[in-house]
Amino acid sequence: MRLRNYAPALLKPFNDELTRKFLFALLFVDAVLLAIFITYNVLGLNHGDGLIAEQFWRFDIGLDLSFSENFGFFKWTAIMVFMLASFLKKPNATSVFIFAVFAILLADDSKQLHEHAGRFLREGVFGQVIADPHAAQTIGELVYLAGQGVIVVALLWLAYRFGSPEQRLYVLRFSASIFGLIICGVGFDAIHSVFDGAPLSWLLGLIEDGGEIIFASIACGYGFSYLLAQFQSAEVSHA
């Protein structure tokens, strides 16, 4: 597929009215959470000892267990439910492999696996040769994420390999949304860590975590569309 034809293929699932409404509902919640986060930072409401400042952590998009983080857990879980329902409707390998991909993402997010792995590697390996603990932690996390990335890519390849033509298009769509997550979560995270604590560094955090939030919603929209497609299509892919 040529690059100029790829964008329409990415957007095609959202031509369906029901899928489009589902995606817009997700993006509306995202927009509200991002707007609150921006308001806190622009107006300085996250500073001080008042009740509003004390509640900022609930709306900090970069903080674990915040509202946006929990909404992300919902998105990964929803995709897994969509894959399970698709498999029960028409048993196929693609649904199983995509389920596994998002189960890995959910586990990493909810259990903070890359943070724990980074800490383990920092203390056991990189801390012995790298004086800066923050740098050692970052490298440890990147090593873990690289290994996780290999597994995710392998699962996506298997999903593509055993998929029908329509399912293969969805694998490419899921892959594009995950690539967007990587750009924001790894690329901008590295940039953000360099400028952490600098004036307006929260803007980089907004791009990093806000981008992840948006791409997660897009992936969830694809999952919903995929479920509808499995119910509507007569094609079944068998391993």
Side-chain angles (χ1 to χ4, degrees), residues 56-118:
F56 173 64
W57 69 272
R58 300 181 186 275
F59 300 98
D60 188 343
I61 62 175
L63 193 64
D64 293 325
L65 301 181
S66 63
F67 287 140
S68 61
E69 186 80 0
N70 281 286
F71 191 43
F73 300 161
F74 164 78
K75 295 171 190 176
W76 300 149
T77 303
I79 296 174
M80 293 166 61
V81 171
F82 297 150
M83 294 305 110
L84 178 60
S86 298
F87 179 83
L88 292 176
K89 175 64 177 179
K90 296 178 180 178
N92 63 93
T94 297
S95 297
V96 174
F97 292 126
I98 296 299
F99 177 96
V101 166
F102 288 98
I104 290 174
L105 296 181
L106 174 62
D108 183 55
D109 273 353
S110 62
K111 301 301 181 181
Q112 304 173 25
L113 295 183
H114 68 272
E115 288 92 345
H116 292 311

Side-chain angles (χ1 to χ4, degrees), residues 126-178:
F126 299 111
Q128 311 301 320
V129 294
I130 301 175
D132 184 356
H134 179 71
Q137 173 76 21
T138 300
I139 293 174
E141 290 183 14
L142 289 175
V143 169
Y144 172 83
L145 288 172
Q148 179 176 282
V150 170
I151 297 174
V152 167
V153 169
L155 289 170
L156 289 171
W157 180 84
L158 289 170
Y160 185 88
R161 168 66 177 80
F162 293 109
S164 67
E166 180 64 20
Q167 288 172 330
R168 287 183 172 186
L169 279 175
Y170 275 99
V171 173
L172 294 176
R173 290 163 183 151
F174 283 124
S175 299
S177 62
I178 292 173

Side-chain angles (χ1 to χ4, degrees), residues 114-234:
H114 68 272
E115 288 92 345
H116 292 311
R119 189 177 304 109
F120 174 80
L121 292 173
R122 180 196 71 199
E123 296 173 352
V125 182
F126 299 111
Q128 311 301 320
V129 294
I130 301 175
D132 184 356
H134 179 71
Q137 173 76 21
T138 300
I139 293 174
E141 290 183 14
L142 289 175
V143 169
Y144 172 83
L145 288 172
Q148 179 176 282
V150 170
I151 297 174
V152 167
V153 169
L155 289 170
L156 289 171
W157 180 84
L158 289 170
Y160 185 88
R161 168 66 177 80
F162 293 109
S164 67
E166 180 64 20
Q167 288 172 330
R168 287 183 172 186
L169 279 175
Y170 275 99
V171 173
L172 294 176
R173 290 163 183 151
F174 283 124
S175 299
S177 62
I178 292 173
F179 180 72
L181 284 166
I182 294 172
I183 292 297
C184 295
V186 178
F188 279 100
D189 179 56
I191 299 174
H192 186 209
S193 64
V194 172
F195 295 96
D196 189 30
L200 300 181
S201 65
W202 66 270
L203 287 175
L204 288 172
L206 177 64
I207 297 173
E208 172 197 344
D209 297 302
E212 288 186 71
I213 290 171
I214 299 302
F215 280 113
S217 289
I218 293 173
C220 195
Y222 285 148
F224 183 77
S225 177
Y226 177 89
L227 174 62
L228 294 182
Q230 297 313 296
F231 273 77
Q232 296 168 356
S233 174

